Amino acid sequence: MKLELGIIKISDIQFAAESKVEGSTLYVNKDEVKALILEDETFASCELDIARPGESVRIAPVKDVIEPRVKVSGEGGVFPGWMAKVKTVGSGRTNVLKGAAVVTTGKIVGFQEGIIDMCGEGAQYTPFSQLNNLVLCLEPVEGTLQHAYEKAVRLAGLKTATYLGKLAKDIEAEEIRTYETPSITEGIKLYPDLPRVGYVLMLQSQGLLHDTYVYGVDAKQSLTTMIYPTETMDGAIISGNCVSACDKNTTYHHLNNPVIEDLYARHGKDLNFVGVIITNENVYLADKERSSDWSAKLCEYLGLDGAIISQEGFGNPDTDLIMNCKKIEAKGVKTVIITDEYAGQDGASQSLADADIAANACVTGGNANTVIHLPKMDKVIGHIEYVDKIAGGWSGSLQEDGSIIAELQVITGATNEMGFNKFSAR
Amino acid sequence: MIILTNNPDVMKTMTERDVRFVDGTYRDVLIKARDLVHQGHQLLSHPLMGSLKPNETPYRTVALSDSGGPLDTDSLLLIENAIETFDKFAKVTRPDRGVNTPQEMLADFRLIDLSLIQSMEVNE
């Protein structure tokens, strides 16, 4: 399967009378987007705002970040199962508005965290401070239940990203990036001497506000399965996860998975990137056993020499991570795990809630308990008043001058377990 | 299946199940679960389910097998690790767990806890 990504660089977003992409500016007709979102009667109101790199702006609580993309050629459409039919994606050409994102915010539950600062210390910890963000502030009609609100916000984000993506459908991109995965047998013939490496992508799937969807299917109801890496670039996997800001995989992460990017960069050179195995992180131990058995079985079936395993979240998923690692290693397949740490504010405590001797090659996304100081911003988009109630905050976190002292875990994407961040350790 | 909980919403909602209310803290639920593990019950749900940190939500629900058998060492390791993790969080961060928390937020914590323990029903 072969996919070309047409990279259309966006360096600014402006509100305007007509939505269009001109040069590197994305112009957005505010009223049109609002009308589109308010078609959903779940919402009482929808406010749009723009947050650009370097501005004194704080966005919170961030639910999801989504990159606008559009299918130019090839089967299916971006975000299959949601914004397009379930037809298999991942081939042909897709245009990407690189440098732009849709950020959704809404107080679905009171303790929801997720801060993006566009400047200052906090901006260094989140990749999303480097993007031009169209922010949707979505308020539900009174009496809306959390389940319904979450779904509506999720869909509003996808809808808006799809609307923006379509503006770039007929643009001839100057930069084309090509990704190709041969069939298993072709791969063996092409690279008989290279180690066969797979990627086990663990998807958060515990329940309300902890979900991920694949082609519209709730991942908790799926068996471990396989996916072409390019399918993820067309939005086959989307996030429905609202908690654990620092180590959740937003839809943006799934579209731009750095493990997939790096494995492709080395594919055919020093390794043969065979494919992606997607598995879930359920609450029940029997589900964990079944899913990790299947991960290991598929690694064996594909004749892998090595596997990279990435996690999403903390605590319960640590057990899935270690089960996957142990069982895959037991099949004779070398593993590297990617996780993050909750090692205490001094970094001295045990980092994971589970461990095993087989997990002897580990990449960390950083210590989520690290204490940071976020200066006051001139403008806040969303709600910040509960910062002392969220996981990375405590009483007095929100200072009188508007600055925040909290743990790194409040920042969206700060310790991402796909490695889409700058933190690590040696 | 035995369901141990300190979440009144689980008690009220999952009436078809053998729900045993623990009048105490998140940690008390873990300790009670460990007692049952020592009596031979197996853990069925992960004691640290959810991405809410142990020093964040005051509610906890754990599912265990009905009948006791020989000690299940996997369950014992898991529950001991969970207690250790709980204590680590209680020590190093935000000791005011559940205190001064607005009622509305407590209701959200109860809802998440209930929803996660109910997630088994989709695959049952």
Side-chain angles (χ1 to χ4, degrees), chain A residues 146 206 319 342 393 395 407, chain B residues 44 46 50 88 93-94 96 108:
Chain A
Q146 289 90 334
Q206 298 182 70
T319 296
Y342 287 80
S395 296
E407 292 183 356
Chain B
L44 297 180
H46 196 288
K88 177 182 81 179
T93 51
R94 212 156 62 84
D96 55 343
D108 285 343

Side-chain angles (χ1 to χ4, degrees), chain A residues 253-327:
Chain A
H253 289 110
H254 286 296
L255 289 165
N256 291 283
N257 191 313
V259 177
I260 291 176
E261 189 74 37
D262 287 358
L263 285 172
Y264 265 130
R266 294 173 62 170
H267 178 57
K269 294 180 184 141
D270 58 354
L271 56 82
N272 175 4
F273 179 23
V274 176
V276 179
I277 294 166
I278 47 175
T279 185
N280 53 19
E281 301 176 350
N282 286 11
V283 164
Y284 278 81
L285 299 171
D287 291 337
K288 292 183 188 303
E289 286 291 357
R290 185 190 306 114
S291 293
S292 53
D293 279 354
W294 277 64
S295 298
K297 181 173 66 182
L298 288 176
C299 286
E300 179 186 43
Y301 200 174
L302 292 171
L304 298 184
D305 298 302
I308 294 173
I309 311 170
S310 76
Q311 181 192 3
E312 180 174 6
F314 150 85
N316 168 65
D318 294 352
T319 296
D320 299 275
L321 176 71
I322 295 301
M323 279 184 174
N324 279 318
C325 174
K326 254 162 60 174
K327 292 179 186 181

